[in-house]
């Protein structure tokens, strides 16, 4: 009953959601192997250092630099003979590939697992997280992605052996052209560890710069309420909530946001919630771990000036 | 892109009980008629909100065979209680023999009117009616002679500033030999028609109430399907009339609501807050405690009765149901009246399309609807005129002792928009903060109405004079829109040191209260882009 | 070039999903249903291709009970040429693998070279069906696309994919499947005249049972629960220093 972890690399580093997948997989099997598809054999080192991994299986080929999904899914499916579980962290990388692997194996994959109840029973969100379902699978081989926000991120300290698999590259019907990385220097909203979010209380686009300043200081992503987006303080891809993005960072700092239920729907699972608001009755405060009842401009100026 | 147009024999505006009844009856009378019905809600029933205790007789008149299979008729009224809430924790049970006759509900059913409308709409489609939900009638069309010849639907895909977006889709004209307006309380076309054709000539001004309703899922042992509780009194006090209701459905569901007459006088009064307080009364709380609120909504009620009922026929069409004012105010029941008025309109139109000579007034006066409304003619006028206690006493005596046969009629000539006293801090009302168990704030309530509007569209609540909210209305009444709107649409906010009147149009519940109660009659409700508005389920 | 657009009927995304405790299912009785918003975007893209002359025919496909026809009528009203309705007897719990198998069957039958579909359905949020379909019929695959440029000879398409790190541009050779993201386009409305006309457009009904596909569930939903918001025991702070100290202690900085 061993499990295979599909490794997602950011450059040569192992991604945070892959680390969550390792933690999750340890609930399923004590024997974990990792699979790396790469064009660069030196990437083995960061993977073999992962705690909890027995063997790192490498498939190295120039064609895997921007692995195309038709190729990757075929290669993964072929390796799966030896495993009962295939686990990856939820991301656009894994969501692209794993379902296709599932189809090749005649397996129904399970997306966004948030809790592992038993080896075949899992909890996953439906309806944008408004409903949590406990599901049981009858597949022999289980393929799943896990929410990075729901599991600890496992660390390093292992020394897995590395095994290179020689595989012939299946023919590809698509090709990589280019990658345009997002321009923002700030962390991406949905995976950021910290988010500073501003609401209508900010009053203007110019004032919203105070939020950006604080975000930079905390190495945080920026978020906003719909009222702030509606008022034109910031563009709509920053909206958090029912009709915006769903986030669960370690720290969510809400400035001048009242905490309408539609906003809460997007951030209620944040680990620590801080509220800066001058209204003691703002519903947001009930959700908060820390409340600073103050004029937000005073607070932001003080925070931005504070020497950490 | 050009506007297209299409012709039907009859076009009906509004998929409530009145409009649907007209549609079905027309097709029953003549299957060859082409009939089309437009509904502004994204589905039939999604904008319908009612109590509702329903008198089923008319449904059986309309569908003698099928009505018994109607899934809405599954919870017969089992028990009827009336409480006079004399204070925050106090109440007196009104003995059954003292209850106004009109409040007895034997033989009636507790239903969701929205669900009933869905069922009737399925029947209508089987009969061959073309039903188009998600398309409000924006205007009515007239020919040179001034005859109404149909309606036009609104354009879609217009941005906040009024420019065409990439998704721009022009509306269309639907022409018809006869047009039936069945928009419910304070229809925006009905309002114009009444003015244009003087349909209210010789009538007392129409009176309205705002009705709130929530559905709760309860775990309680007290729950007993079929039980009906009505209340009068607290939290409403002198100067504000109305009453509460609590109906036990099947499936552990309870409907709770408060109806507040819109002729209230204190501008600091907040009907929404009164409703939230109402649920904290022990007589109500006992059923809700440990339950969970699952929906919220509000809708105006037309309740002037026969004294205010407008003339229902005009050149080219009819106005029916609550759009015209057919509700029976002594029972606050309008669904069966709406059905009946729809049927009458269909019968009349069928006749005139066949070129038979027929006078609608004669048809109406010979109907059981007229009989019913005539008997209750003094009810709400008495409440309005004499205040709550005297009015209630009067109504009791009239209905139980004189059996509604008194030879005179009481009239109330003051419009609801003219009833507010000047703002006086001495009488300012303060309401406790929501406890989030029984009482809640507007935002979390709105969430449960499912209301939603495309954001980038022109504001559909039009101010004739944009300066009035911050001038006359603020000075004299502290802009009451901030409190009477059940959706928090109107706010005075501070925008960089300056006061600003904000209209959060996307929250609107289409209840029409602002159009009725604005003391300057400066707010005009118009239909937003199709499909916008609440998404009531089972209301 | 024929385009197939699978469309799904889902709970309207603007309505709150409610759990029926007795059945342990999300309560869809009388609930407002709508076309999955991602599917609307897929339909729009297909229509644009047809209007530009690149596609010969657009076909919407949906699987479900009789009510599903409403969703296909919406697609027809938006402008697709015809619809295929795969009829199931009851509200079967079809999973992406089953849906992919059914669609694979239809795509082969129609010999469609391009499939445009939503990246996920907003009810089950699986984000799988397009990928699985591509595996079953070995079409090239582009997921989460926000850009779609067909080559002049219609043999390949350049797509922009919205991925976590930015936008990836790829070239897919046809036949291909793409799954669309929100920013690809803004879907048109189904106008009233077009809704009227859609009533006479062709809609073919196929009984699911006639396709001989095994639809026994692989995944069983044991229970569902609404995940509400919980109040937290909040602590007051009153200065930047105090706030930073607390946050440091909590280890979130
Ligand atoms: C169908 C629907 C979907 C929606 N989806 C979303 C969604 O996805 N995301 C979302 O966010 N909203 C959404 N909303 C809107 C939501 O209901 C609220 O209107 C919105 O979240 C309010 O934003 P806010 O908290 O910034 O503004 P407000 O509610 O106006 O709150 C401003 C807050 O700032 C505080 N404040 C003001 N000035 C100061 C100051 N000087 N110092 C300190 N505090 C100050 C005030 O006390 C107040 O608490 C949706 C609404 C609907 C109807
Ligand atoms: C809180 C409350 C409790 C009530 N309790 C009871 C009760 O217990 N028993 C009872 O019998 N009655 C009750 N009523 C009254 C009853 O609901 C109404 O009398 C009845 O709904 C009127 O039917 P109608 O067809 O005239 O209008 P409505 O039911 O209001 O229907 C009108 C329809 O037309 C649509 N529409 C409006 N304008 C347009 C337009 N321009 N274009 C397209 N569509 C449009 C609306 O969206 C709506 O669907 C209650 C009402 C309320 C508010
Ligand atoms: S804006 Fe007017 S119609 Fe809309 S909810 Fe408020 S009072 Fe009712």
């Amino acid at each position: 009953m061993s499990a295979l972890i599909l490794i997602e690399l950011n450059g040569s580093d192992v991604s945070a959601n892959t680390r969550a997948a390792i933690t999750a997989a340890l609930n399923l099997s004590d024997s974990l192997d990792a699979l790396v598809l790469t064009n660069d054999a030196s990437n083995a080192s960061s993977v073999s250092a992962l705690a909890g991994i027995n063997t790192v299986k490498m498939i190295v080929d120039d064609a895997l630099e921007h692995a195309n999904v038709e190729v990757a899914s075929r290669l993964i499916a072929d390796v799966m003979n030896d495993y009962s579980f295939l686990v990856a962290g939820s991301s656009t990388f894994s969501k692209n590939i794993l379902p296709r692997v599932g189809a090749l194996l005649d397996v129904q994959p399970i997306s966004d697992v948030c809790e592992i109840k038993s080896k075949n029973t899992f909890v996953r969100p439906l309806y944008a997280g408004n409903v949590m379902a406990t599901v049981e699978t009858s597949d022999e081989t289980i393929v799943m992605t896990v929410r990075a926000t729901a599991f600890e991120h496992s660390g390093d300290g292992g020394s897995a052996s590395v095994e290179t698999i020689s595989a012939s590259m299946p023919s590809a019907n698509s090709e990589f052209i280019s990658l345009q990385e997002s321009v923002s220097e700030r962390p991406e909203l949905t995976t950021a560890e910290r988010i500073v979010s501003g609401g209508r209380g900010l009053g203007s686009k110019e004032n919203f710069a105070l939020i950006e300043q604080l975000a930079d200081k905390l190495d945080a992503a920026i978020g906003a309420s719909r009222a702030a987006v509606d008022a034109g303080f910031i563009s709509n891809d920053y909206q958090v909530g029912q009709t915006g993005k769903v986030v669960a960072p370690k720290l969510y700092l809400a400035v001048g946001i009242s905490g309408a239920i539609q906003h809460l729907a997007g951030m209620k699972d944040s680990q620590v919630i801080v509220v800066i608001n001058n209204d003691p009755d703002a519903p947001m405060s009930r959700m908060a771990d820390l409340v600073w009842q103050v004029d937000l401009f005073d607070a932001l100026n003080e925070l931005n000036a504070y020497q950490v | 892109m050009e506007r297209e147009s299409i012709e039907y024999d009859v076009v009906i505006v509004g998929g409530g009980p009145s409009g649907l009844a007209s549609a079905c009856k027309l097709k029953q009378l003549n299957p060859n008629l082409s009939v089309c019905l437009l509904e502004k809600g994204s589905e039939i029933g999604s904008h319908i909100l009612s109590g509702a205790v329903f008198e089923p007789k008319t449904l059986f008149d309309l569908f003698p065979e099928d009505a018994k299979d109607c899934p809405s008729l599954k919870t017969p009224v089992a028990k009827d209680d009336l409480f006079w809430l004399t204070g925050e924790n106090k109440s007196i049970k009104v003995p059954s023999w003292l209850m106004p006759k009109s409040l007895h509900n034997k033989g009636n059913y507790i239903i969701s009117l929205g669900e009933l409308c869905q069922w009737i709409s399925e029947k209508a489609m089987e009969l061959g009616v073309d039903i188009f939900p998600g398309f409000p009638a924006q205007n009515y069309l007239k020919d040179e002679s001034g005859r109404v010849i149909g309606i036009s639907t609104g354009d879609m895909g217009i941005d906040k500033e009024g420019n065409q977006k990439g998704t721009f889709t022009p509306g269309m004209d639907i022409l018809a030999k006869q047009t039936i307006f069945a928009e419910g309380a304070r229809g925006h076309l009905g309002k114009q028609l009444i003015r244009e054709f003087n349909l209210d000539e010789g009538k007392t001004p129409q009176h309205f109430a705002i009705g709130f309703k929530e559905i709760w899922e309860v775990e309680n042992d007290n729950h007993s399907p079929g039980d009906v509780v009505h209340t009068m009194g607290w939290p409403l006090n002198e100067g504000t009339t109305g009453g509460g209701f609590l109906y036990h459905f099947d499936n552990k569901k309870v409907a709770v609501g408060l109806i507040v007459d819109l002729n209230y006088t204190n501008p600091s009064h907040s009907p929404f807050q009164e409703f939230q307080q109402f649920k904290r009364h022990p007589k109500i709380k006992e059923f809700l405690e440990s339950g969970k609120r699952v929906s919220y909504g509000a809708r105006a009620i037309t309740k002037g009765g026969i004294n205010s009922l407008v003339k229902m026929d005009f050149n080219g069409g009819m106005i029916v149901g609550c759009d015209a004012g057919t509700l029976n105010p002594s029972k606050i029941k309008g669904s069966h009246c709406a059905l009946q008025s729809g049927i009458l309109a269909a019968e009349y139109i069928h006749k005139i399309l066949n070129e038979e000579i027929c006078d609608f007034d004669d048809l109406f006066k010979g109907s059981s609807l007229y009989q019913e409304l005539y008997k209750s003619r003094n009810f709400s006028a008495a409440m309005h005129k004499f205040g709550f206690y005297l009015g209630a006493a009067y109504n009791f005596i009239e209905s139980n002792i004189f059996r509604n046969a008194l030879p005179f009629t009481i009239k109330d000539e003051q419009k609801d928009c003219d009833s507010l006293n000047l703002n006086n801090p001495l009488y300012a009302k303060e309401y406790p903060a929501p406890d989030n168990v029984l009482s809640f704030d507007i935002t979390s309530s709105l969430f449960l109405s499912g209301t939603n509007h495309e954001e980038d569209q022109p504001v559909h609540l039009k101010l004739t004079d944009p300066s009035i909210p911050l001038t006359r209305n603020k000075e004299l009444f502290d802009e009451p829109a901030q409190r009477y709107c059940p959706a928090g649409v109107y706010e005075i906010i501070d925008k960089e040191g300056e006061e600003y009147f904000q209209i959060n149009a996307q929250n609107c519940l289409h209840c029409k209260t602002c159009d009725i109660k604005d003391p300057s009659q400066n707010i005009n409700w118009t239909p937003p882009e199709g499909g916008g508005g609440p998404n009531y389920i089972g209301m | 070039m024929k385009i197939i657009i699978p469309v799904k009927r889902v709970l309207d995304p603007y309505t709150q999903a409610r759990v029926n405790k007795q059945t342990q299912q999300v309560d869809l009785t009388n609930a407002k249903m709508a076309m999955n918003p991602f599917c609307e975007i897929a339909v729009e893209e297909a229509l644009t291709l047809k209007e530009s002359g690149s596609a010969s025919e657009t076909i919407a496909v949906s699987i479900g009970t009789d009510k599903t026809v409403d969703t296909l009528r919406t697609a027809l009203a938006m402008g697709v040429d015809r619809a295929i309705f795969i009829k199931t007897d009851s509200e079967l719990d079809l999973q992406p693998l089953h849906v992919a198998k059914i669609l694979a069957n239809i795509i082969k039958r129609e010999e469609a070279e391009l499939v445009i579909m939503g990246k996920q359905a907003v009810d089950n949020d699986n984000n799988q069906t397009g990928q699985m379909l591509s595996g079953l019929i070995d079409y090239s695959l582009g997921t989460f696309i926000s850009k779609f440029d067909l080559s002049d000879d219609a043999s390949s398409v350049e797509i922009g994919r919205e991925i976590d790190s930015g936008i990836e541009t790829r070239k897919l050779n046809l036949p291909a499947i793409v799954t669309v993201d929100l920013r690809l386009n803004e879907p048109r409305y189904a106008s009233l005249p077009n809704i009227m006309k859609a009533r006479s457009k062709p809609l073919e009904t196929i009984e699911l049972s006639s396709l001989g596909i095994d639809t026994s569930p692989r995944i069983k939903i044991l229970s569902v629960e609404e995940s509400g918001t919980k109040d937290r025991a909040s602590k007051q702070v009153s200065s930047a220093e105090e706030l930073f100290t607390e946050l440091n202690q909590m280890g979130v900085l």
Side-chain angles (χ1 to χ4, degrees), chain B residues 42 130 292 294 529 535, chain C residues 18 30 32 189 199 226:
Chain B
S42 59
D130 287 348
K292 186 174 166 225
V294 295
E529 193 167 272
N535 284 294
Chain C
R18 284 193 194 121
N30 295 313
K32 183 181 169 201
Y189 296 99
R199 295 180 174 214
E226 284 174 32

Side-chain angles (χ1 to χ4, degrees), chain B residues 313-374:
Chain B
D313 60 314
F314 52 85
N315 191 1
M318 301 278 306
I319 173 167
V320 297
C322 280
D323 214 356
T326 55
L327 176 134
N328 179 345
S330 70
K331 305 175 174 170
I332 303 288
K333 284 199 188 76
S335 316
H336 66 292
C337 308
L339 286 171
Q340 283 184 61
S341 70
I343 293 171
L344 285 172
E347 287 169 348
Y348 174 68
I349 285 176
H350 172 66
K351 286 205 163 86
I352 56 173
L353 288 180
N354 281 342
E355 296 176 3
E356 286 174 42
I357 306 220
C358 172
D359 181 51
F360 182 73
D361 240 30
D362 295 343
L363 195 69
F364 178 52
K365 290 228 164 89
S367 70
S368 58
L369 174 62
Y370 178 79
Q371 292 303 317
E372 176 179 344
L373 295 180
Y374 183 76

Side-chain angles (χ1 to χ4, degrees), chain C residues 161-174:
Chain C
R161 302 181 56 228
E162 291 205 358
I163 59 174
D164 292 342
S165 57
I167 308 269
E168 186 192 48
T169 306
R170 297 192 83 95
K171 189 177 119 193
L172 309 181
N173 294 326
L174 263 45

Side-chain angles (χ1 to χ4, degrees), chain A residues 6 37 67-69 72-73 76 92-102, chain C residues 131 141:
Chain A
L6 177 64
L37 306 179
N68 107 16
V69 55
S73 52
I76 298 168
T92 51
F93 167 79
S94 63
K95 287 189 169 170
N96 187 34
I97 301 173
L98 253 59
R100 192 164 155 132
V101 176
Chain C
Q131 295 89 311
L141 169 67

Side-chain angles (χ1 to χ4, degrees), chain C residues 134-153:
Chain C
S134 79
L136 293 178
I137 56 178
D138 203 21
Y139 277 27
S140 55
L141 169 67
T143 47
F144 328 135
I145 68 160
S146 59
K147 203 175 110 238
F148 184 99
D149 284 325
L150 196 68
S151 67
D152 291 338
D153 63 354

